[in-house]
Amino acid sequence: MTFHRTTTAPTAHADTGPRPPARTPRDRLAGSRPLSTAAPVLLMTAVALTDLLTPRWLHVSPVMVAVPVLASVLLPLWATAALGCVALAVTALLQAVAGQWGQPDSDVVLISLFVVGLTSLATCSLRRRRERQLQQVRSVAETAQRALMHPLPHRLGALALRGAYLPAESEARIGGDFYEALRTPYGIRILVGDVRGKGLPAVGASAALLGAFRELAQVEASLTRVAERLDERAKRQIAAVDDILDGDPSDGAPGTLFTERFATALLVEFPPGEPVARLVHCGHPEPFLVHAGRVRGLLPDLPGAPLGLGDLLETAPAVQSVPFGPGDRLLLYTDGFIEARDRWGRFLDLAARAEAHAGRPLEAMVAGLRRDLVRHARGDLGDDAALVALERLPEPPVEP
């Protein structure tokens, strides 16, 4: 498990926050591909016409060197080579029409265009190689994310589920927030968590906690016992990191107690045949209950410590039971959804946005909240953000 170490006291929430990522500048550039493809041709045409229509003493043809440069940024290698050759031929023709052919100035322009063309070919080749490498890295990151965090099923028993995941490092498409939903002998169990940190350093911690939850949720009858075992797993990982960084922990080196290597988590259980939801808070933001179009936060009766910091509290994790009948919805999220700031430094009011979307279908509600977050932060997420929405569906009639 990877955590960031500081010398300050632990905070109540981690600082971080499948799964389409936020729209990137690269995606927006792909939407304008036809215009970018035609840009070098339009530039060459404009330079040629301008040179023909202007007086002989005004030479515009040297601007033609920008054509292969622009092509190397926007087009593949073969198109860059073709446009470079065409630009060289058109420039030579313009020089001949203007009576400049064979003069020193004309030779300098043509040689400069030839050299710039060769340089543009090398630049284009390097760009294409980097793009292929980036595509491979993105593919590996997506595969790792799918292996780490399974896609949520759209339905488990009487529950409809939808999820949204927005990593802060959108190009990596992987982060430190995680969630899981499982059908167990004790009902449907859901985990939403947030490892302190973001990006690739938090992936190991997320994988360890998700793996432990998938095993413990199937064998532990008590939800509080699942939380305690997850805390033990987190503390073992912290101890291993301390041994690596500090050497022998018996030398009394300070700092191990005042650590910020932890993960917040929220465990939810829906027992079969009971219209209730049981929650265990482990330092995580409180969920929102949507009932009859109204949204209220479910503050814990007895807050628990984040995973890995269970020794700081003398009390064991406690279960909070809330009514959860047909038509009710529950929103589980990480702090990336409530700590996103706009240009004026204001936080996103997730409760207000959830109430605004409460009358929409569950999938539309999640899509609207995701869109609100991206718009509020102007696409620049400083933290990973995850959201899981659940709705209790009417129980089908039982045949006698």
Side-chain angles (χ1 to χ4, degrees):
M1 182 180 297
T2 305
F3 295 93
H4 295 283
R5 180 172 184 169
T6 68
T7 56
T8 60
T11 57
H13 303 304
D15 287 341
T16 74
R19 337 238 207 311
R23 185 172 173 85
T24 64
R26 180 184 176 86
D27 298 328
R28 290 189 290 269
L29 180 61
S32 59
R33 188 174 300 276
L35 179 60
S36 62
T37 302
V41 178
L42 294 177
L43 176 62
M44 182 170 54
T45 304
V47 172
L49 292 177
T50 304
D51 190 79
L52 290 173
L53 298 176
T54 53
R56 290 180 176 271
W57 56 267
L58 181 60
H59 303 292
V60 187
S61 58
V63 184
M64 198 71 73
V65 296
V67 172
V69 174
L70 185 60
S72 68
V73 177
L74 301 176
L75 302 178
L77 185 63
W78 67 268
T80 302
L83 281 175
C85 294
V86 173
L88 185 62
V90 171
T91 303
L93 181 61
L94 292 174
Q95 297 286 351
V97 171
Q100 298 278 331
W101 180 263
Q103 297 184 9
D105 291 344
S106 175
D107 295 340
V108 170
V109 171
L110 294 176
I111 293 175
S112 300
L113 183 56
F114 179 75
V115 173
V116 171
L118 293 179
T119 306
S120 300
L121 288 176
T123 303
C124 182
S125 177
L126 179 62
R127 175 181 63 86
R128 299 291 293 179
R129 186 182 305 114
R130 295 290 176 83
E131 287 180 349
R132 288 192 295 267
Q133 292 174 351
L134 177 60
Q135 186 63 32
Q136 292 174 355
V137 171
R138 288 163 63 95
S139 176
V140 171
E142 290 176 351
T143 303
Q145 183 75 346
R146 287 193 296 267
L148 170 67
M149 196 164 58
H150 302 159
L152 284 176
H154 282 185
R155 180 163 182 173
L156 276 178
L159 287 180
L161 302 93
R162 294 294 187 276
Y165 191 94
L166 293 93
E169 300 177 7
S170 58
E171 288 298 324
R173 302 194 177 187
I174 196 166
D177 292 6
F178 55 90
Y179 52 72
E180 182 62 287
L182 300 173
R183 189 194 301 269
T184 73
Y186 315 103
I188 297 172
R189 287 178 169 176
I190 296 175
L191 171 68
V192 175
D194 180 2
V195 174
R196 180 170 179 83
K198 62 183 178 181
L200 295 178
V203 174
S206 302
L209 292 176
L210 279 174
F213 174 75
R214 289 165 183 154
E215 177 183 357
L216 296 172
Q218 301 290 346
V219 299
E220 294 289 350
S222 171
L223 192 62
T224 57
R225 183 56 182 163
V226 175
E228 292 172 352
R229 296 283 299 276
L230 287 175
D231 180 69
E232 294 172 1
R233 176 62 180 270
K235 285 188 288 188
R236 287 199 300 268
Q237 295 290 340
I238 291 175
V241 174
D242 285 338
D243 291 344
I244 294 174
L245 297 181
D246 299 337
D248 186 5
S250 63
D251 59 0
T256 302
L257 177 61
F258 301 100
T259 182
E260 286 198 359
R261 305 190 196 114
F262 63 88
T264 66
L266 179 67
L267 291 85
V268 187
E269 179 182 85
F270 301 92
E274 299 182 38
V276 298
R278 298 171 181 165
L279 300 91
V280 174
H281 297 257
C282 298
H284 201 74
E286 69 277 2
F288 290 133
L289 177 65
V290 183
H291 176 73
R294 306 292 298 184
V295 177
R296 67 181 180 94
L298 300 177
L299 295 173
D301 299 328
L302 187 62
L307 300 179
L309 301 179
D311 294 339
L312 299 181
L313 297 180
E314 297 180 356
T315 58
V319 173
Q320 177 185 10
S321 295
V322 296
F324 193 68
D328 291 344
R329 293 178 179 178
L330 198 63
L331 295 182
L332 317 176
Y333 56 92
T334 60
D335 56 8
F337 259 91
I338 57 176
E339 295 182 356
R341 297 176 182 265
D342 60 10
R343 66 182 62 186
W344 295 282
R346 297 175 301 188
F347 293 113
L348 175 68
D349 190 348
L350 183 59
R353 300 314 308 158
E355 191 161 314
H357 296 290
R360 307 176 64 187
L362 188 64
E363 185 169 359
M365 180 182 185
V366 172
L369 292 175
R370 180 184 181 276
R371 185 169 54 251
D372 290 343
L373 173 64
V374 175
R375 184 183 299 115
H376 182 82
R378 307 182 308 281
D380 184 17
L381 298 179
D383 198 0
D384 303 326
L387 175 74
V388 177
L390 310 103
E391 181 178 359
R392 171 84 73 175
L393 302 176
E395 295 284 352
V398 179
E399 296 290 338

